[in-house]
């Protein structure tokens, strides 16, 4: 893994780019890139996906250079619809943000009504009737990323790794919360506690715990590949982690904004990301509970008017 920084430097030079050019294209600072190239800094997942975007290389190129393709065959996102029909793509997310800017009340009502159905289907039968006002407050708090009251909608427990893999293969957005659920599901399928998994994979307990909390910022690519190899996941963890990194950093978003190409990685603003996460999490609940499919069909019909 030490040679990754050296390889990044060689690719940059082959493409005739100075560090400042790669900094502009990737969204990383020149100092960050310099530290990575001189092996003075570990390469985080978010950093490698940004650099790959800036150099116009793909995950398969990185794996091939690291000579781990034989161990981690790249699970490419095919964009083919699988059994899971309620897929949210990055294009859907962009259309929803345009929908919100145009009709904010209607867009929020779509989220509130959908989440209220979820709460009704996921509550204790002894609980009193749920208030739609309470649901509205929950959704409002989940979209107020700049407020002290910000509180994301909880992610559904028990999401199976097969479901997340299917979403990925069908071209759906993968978030860091999907990645967290995937790592936890894989660990539990292996019958390992956090501590046992740390011992088995030689990845620190804290790193695995951060992954399962959806904290990708300080996770190194080395740690992801170590988990992948130890658990023999055939490339799925790397692919899903890469997709989550591209979504979190805004790279997947930039890739669909073809009318503004070439465009440096600017990512999301925090409120846009909060709205995106709220939409996707509500859809994940629908998938987990197998309910409200008509809502997703109708929402996609509405979003078709805001697609570019």
């Amino acid at each position: 893994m030490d040679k990754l920084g050296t390889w990044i430097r060689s690719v940059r030079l082959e493409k005739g780019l100075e560090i400042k050019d790669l900094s502009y294209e990737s969204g990383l600072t020149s100092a960050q890139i310099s530290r990575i190239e001189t092996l003075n800094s570990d390469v985080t997942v978010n950093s490698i996906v940004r650099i790959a975007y800036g150099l116009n290389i793909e995950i398969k190129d990185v794996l091939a250079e690291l000579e781990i393709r034989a161990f981690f065959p790249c699970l490419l996102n095919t964009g083919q619809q699988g059994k899971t029909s309620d897929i949210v793509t990055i294009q859907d997310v962009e259309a929803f943000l345009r929908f919100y800017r145009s009709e904010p009340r209607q867009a929020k009502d779509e989220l509130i009504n959908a989440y209220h159905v979820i709460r009704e289907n996921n509550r204790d039968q002894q609980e009193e009737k749920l208030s739609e006002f309470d649901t509205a407050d929950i959704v409002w708090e989940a979209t107020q990323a700049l407020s002290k009251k910000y509180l994301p909608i909880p992610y559904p427990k028990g999401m199976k790794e097969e479901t997340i893999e299917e979403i990925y293969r069908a071209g759906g957005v993968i978030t860091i919360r999907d990645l967290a659920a995937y790592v936890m599901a894989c660990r539990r399928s292996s019958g390992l506690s956090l501590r046992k998994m740390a011992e088995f994979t030689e990845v620190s307990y804290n790193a695995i715990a951060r992954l399962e909390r959806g904290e990708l910022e300080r996770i190194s690519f080395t740690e992801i590949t170590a988990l992948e190899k130890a658990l023999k996941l055939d490339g799925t963890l790397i692919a899903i982690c890469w997709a989550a990194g591209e979504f979190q950093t805004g790279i997947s978003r930039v890739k669909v904004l073809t009318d503004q190409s070439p465009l440096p990685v600017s990512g999301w603003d925090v409120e846009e990301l909060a709205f995106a996460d709220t939409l996707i999490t509500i859809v994940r609940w629908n998938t987990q509970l197998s309910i409200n499919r008509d809502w997703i069909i109708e929402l996609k019909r509405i979003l078709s008017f805001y697609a570019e």
Side-chain angles (χ1 to χ4, degrees):
M1 191 63 70
D2 287 345
K3 69 176 183 176
L4 184 57
T6 303
W7 177 68
I8 288 170
R9 182 176 184 275
S10 68
V11 173
R12 174 177 63 78
L13 293 175
E14 285 175 9
K15 293 178 178 288
L17 297 175
E18 296 184 11
I19 286 181
K20 65 179 181 180
D21 300 322
L22 181 54
S23 172
Y24 175 80
E25 295 292 344
S26 68
L28 297 176
T29 67
S30 295
Q32 286 175 306
I33 295 170
S34 180
R35 286 196 298 270
I36 289 170
E37 290 188 351
T38 55
L39 312 181
N40 289 320
S41 177
D42 207 351
V43 186
T44 66
V45 174
N46 283 350
S47 293
I48 190 62
V49 297
R50 284 180 178 274
I51 288 172
Y53 173 78
L55 292 174
N56 194 28
I57 56 179
E58 300 292 338
I59 180 175
K60 59 183 176 62
D61 302 314
V62 177
L63 296 181
E65 175 59 27
L66 295 174
E67 298 177 352
I68 56 177
R69 177 179 286 179
F71 299 100
F72 312 123
C74 185
L75 177 62
L76 294 178
N77 185 319
T78 63
Q80 298 297 315
Q81 196 78 352
K83 296 178 183 178
T84 306
S85 60
D86 43 354
I87 298 296
V88 175
T89 66
I90 190 64
Q91 290 86 353
D92 292 329
V93 172
E94 275 300 309
F96 184 83
L97 291 175
R98 295 188 193 105
F99 175 35
Y100 172 71
R101 295 185 196 107
S102 176
E103 301 287 344
R105 182 180 294 275
Q106 185 182 351
K108 276 196 173 182
D109 282 347
E110 287 291 337
L111 297 179
I112 291 167
N113 294 337
Y115 193 54
H116 192 70
V117 172
I118 289 167
R119 294 183 73 209
E120 287 283 359
N121 281 271
N122 194 48
R123 65 189 179 96
D124 190 318
Q125 292 183 354
Q126 303 302 316
E127 187 177 349
E128 294 182 2
K129 182 174 176 60
L130 295 171
S131 166
E132 291 187 9
F133 292 106
D134 290 341
T135 304
D137 286 342
I138 292 171
V139 172
W140 182 85
E141 290 172 356
T143 58
Q144 300 302 303
L146 296 176
S147 168
K148 292 181 179 179
K149 293 185 176 181
Y150 172 62
L151 183 65
I153 287 175
Y155 189 91
K157 294 180 180 179
M159 185 72 78
K160 295 180 179 179
E161 58 262 47
E162 294 88 354
T163 302
I164 297 172
E165 289 171 9
E166 189 170 306
I167 291 168
Y168 175 86
R169 285 195 296 268
V173 165
I174 297 293
T175 70
I176 57 173
R177 296 215 276 174
D178 293 325
L179 172 63
Y182 187 74
V183 173
M184 183 179 293
C186 290
R187 174 175 63 78
R188 289 177 173 173
S189 294
S190 300
L192 298 172
S193 66
L194 269 172
R195 196 164 302 282
K196 287 293 184 182
M197 187 171 180
E199 293 173 1
F200 178 63
T201 61
E202 297 185 354
V203 175
S204 75
Y205 176 98
N206 288 337
I208 298 170
R210 286 199 303 272
L211 261 178
E212 292 192 3
R213 291 196 301 267
E215 299 172 9
L216 192 58
E217 291 80 4
R218 292 186 293 159
I219 301 299
S220 74
F221 197 60
T222 305
E223 290 167 326
I224 294 297
T225 54
L227 288 171
E228 173 78 58
K229 182 176 181 180
L231 296 176
K232 299 179 181 179
L233 293 174
D234 295 328
T236 56
L237 177 58
I238 290 178
I240 287 169
C241 185
W242 191 278
E246 286 198 329
F247 179 77
Q248 186 69 16
T249 57
I251 291 172
S252 57
R253 184 188 193 197
V254 171
K255 285 181 175 179
V256 304
L257 298 178
T258 53
D259 58 323
Q260 299 182 42
S261 183
L263 186 70
V265 176
S266 56
W268 312 83
D269 70 41
V270 291
E271 288 193 334
E272 288 174 330
L273 190 56
F275 265 98
D277 180 75
T278 301
L279 169 65
I280 294 163
T281 303
I282 288 174
V283 173
R284 295 292 185 265
W285 273 107
N286 276 277
T287 300
Q288 182 77 335
L289 299 176
S290 298
I291 59 170
N292 216 9
R293 306 299 273 275
D294 290 342
W295 168 73
I296 297 173
I297 294 171
E298 175 60 18
L299 179 63
K300 283 182 174 282
R301 186 193 68 78
I302 294 171
L303 296 183
S304 67
F305 293 101
Y306 296 90
E308 289 188 352

